[in-house]
């Protein structure tokens, strides 16, 4: 893998993981649009550790609160920390169950399609705009309960289909439920910690069990991704306090439309046929 490809993949993963535009979709599109060999799910899982690390560092107070909530729950104590821990756990259950089913049936192997990415980008981009533009902005994290957590978690499971965007669909659900934009994003990212950790450890664990090597390029890209992701999430959390999700929704719809145009016109571009 060339140095340029490593840099591009680190930028793509680090930036798109937190923006509501689908990191997995963009990771799949890179080889299609450039003609580079597909880096594969193992490489993507490794770089995902970079964004996971950025999440833990940026939200370290919330992470500590969740860990404290585990202790409180074990002691039978009800606290704000234990409620946060339970809500994040509930939101994680749907994607774990559905992800396991898709892996066990190998259905997920058929998802790396630019056509599917384009359709999901348009559909869920439009849904993001509608929920953000017309949803109420009255709820905070303290208003989260098991019902809202389950709804957001069920929406998160849709992100197993590339182009949907895990952060995008959970923010969409949060805004549709009336949560303030920054609070919807915060809960979305906290839900991403166990979800991304489970997915990455599963893929890497399978590779290690099969004695598949983890390349130096993957490790280097993971480190670069961490710093790109940390900068991205810092900027994004400040940005969404000032602007709506409209620019991201518009980008998704435009991207999907351009992709469909390229695919169905038969235009040869990289690996897109």
């Amino acid at each position: 893998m060339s140095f340029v490809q490593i840099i591009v993949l680190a930028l793509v993963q680090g930036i798109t993981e937190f923006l509501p535009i689908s990191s997995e979709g963009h990771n799949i599109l890179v080889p299609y649009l450039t003609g580079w060999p597909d880096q594969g799910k193992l490489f993507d899982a490794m770089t995902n550790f970079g964004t996971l690390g950025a999440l833990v560092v940026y939200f370290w107070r919330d992470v500590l609160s969740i860990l404290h909530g585990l202790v409180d729950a074990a002691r039978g104590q009800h606290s704000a920390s234990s409620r946060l821990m339970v809500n994040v756990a509930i939101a994680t259950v749907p994607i774990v169950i559905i992800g396991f089913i898709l892996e066990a049936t190998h259905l997920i192997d058929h998802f790396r399609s630019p056509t599917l990415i384009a359709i999901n980008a348009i559909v869920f981009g439009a849904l993001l705009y509608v929920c953000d533009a017309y949803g109420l902005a009255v709820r905070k994290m303290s208003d989260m309960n098991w019902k809202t957590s389950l709804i957001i978690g069920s929406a998160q499971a849709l992100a197993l289909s590339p182009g949907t965007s895990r952060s995008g669909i959970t923010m969409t659900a949060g805004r549709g439920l009336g949560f303030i934009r920054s609070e919807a994003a915060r809960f979305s990212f906290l839900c991403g910690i166990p979800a991304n950790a489970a997915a990455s450890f599963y893929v890497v664990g399978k590779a290690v069990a099969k004695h598949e090597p983890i390349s130096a390029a993957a490790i280097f890209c993971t480190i670069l991704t961490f710093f790109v992701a940390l900068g991205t999430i810092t900027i994004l959390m400040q940005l969404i306090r000032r602007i709506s999700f409209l620019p991201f929704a518009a980008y998704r719809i435009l991207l999907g439309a351009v992709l469909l145009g390229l695919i169905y016109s038969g235009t040869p571009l990289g690996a897109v046929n």
Side-chain angles (χ1 to χ4, degrees):
M1 182 176 289
S2 69
F3 182 71
V4 172
Q5 190 174 357
I6 292 172
I7 295 295
V8 169
L9 290 172
L11 289 172
V12 168
Q13 172 65 19
I15 293 173
T16 63
E17 173 64 28
F18 303 128
L19 301 185
I21 57 176
S22 179
S23 62
E24 185 180 11
H26 282 77
N27 282 332
I28 294 172
L29 286 176
V30 168
Y32 275 97
L33 296 176
T34 62
W36 291 334
D38 192 323
Q39 67 275 7
K41 290 195 292 184
L42 176 58
F43 194 97
D44 289 347
M46 283 297 298
T47 58
N48 201 39
F49 280 126
T51 51
L52 180 62
L55 277 175
V56 172
V57 169
Y58 186 86
F59 289 105
W60 66 270
R61 290 184 180 85
D62 287 317
V63 172
L64 287 179
S65 179
I66 290 171
L67 294 176
H68 192 268
L70 281 170
V71 176
D72 287 347
R75 293 174 176 173
Q77 299 176 349
H78 298 285
S79 64
S81 294
S82 64
R83 285 196 301 273
L84 176 60
M85 181 275 297
V86 169
N87 286 329
V88 170
I90 290 172
T92 304
V93 171
I95 195 171
V96 171
I97 293 175
I98 296 176
F100 177 78
I101 293 172
L102 292 176
E103 277 286 346
T105 57
H106 301 289
L107 287 174
I108 202 165
D109 296 334
H110 303 287
F111 284 3
R112 294 175 79 85
S113 160
T115 303
L116 179 61
I117 292 169
I119 293 171
N120 283 341
I122 294 171
V123 171
F124 292 106
L127 188 61
L128 172 64
Y129 167 72
V130 170
C131 289
D132 187 50
Y134 298 101
L136 299 176
V138 295
R139 285 176 158 180
K140 297 182 179 180
M141 284 274 286
S142 56
D143 299 312
M144 192 71 65
N145 54 51
W146 73 268
K147 293 180 182 178
T148 55
S149 298
L150 185 58
I151 292 172
I152 293 172
S154 298
Q156 181 173 230
L158 295 174
L160 291 167
S161 181
T164 302
S165 173
R166 192 210 61 78
S167 62
I169 194 62
T170 48
M171 290 181 196
T172 298
R175 289 292 296 116
L177 290 168
F179 284 90
I180 295 170
R181 193 174 296 118
S182 59
E183 296 288 85
R186 180 182 162 205
F187 189 71
S188 167
F189 293 139
L190 291 179
C191 291
I193 294 175
N196 286 338
S200 292
F201 276 114
Y202 178 77
V203 173
V204 174
K206 279 180 58 178
V208 170
K210 294 179 181 179
H211 304 289
E212 294 181 23
I214 297 174
S215 66
I219 295 173
F220 181 50
C221 191
T222 300
I223 296 171
L224 287 179
T225 299
F226 167 79
F227 290 105
V228 174
L230 189 58
T232 299
I233 195 171
T234 301
I235 294 171
L236 178 64
M237 290 303 291
Q238 295 174 355
L239 194 62
I240 58 178
R241 291 183 173 89
R242 303 190 191 95
I243 67 170
S244 71
F245 288 136
L246 175 60
F248 306 111
Y251 168 79
R252 289 174 61 107
I253 294 171
L254 179 62
L255 173 65
V258 170
L259 282 174
L260 287 178
L262 290 172
I263 293 166
Y264 288 105
S265 68
T267 303
L269 180 60
V272 174
N273 297 313

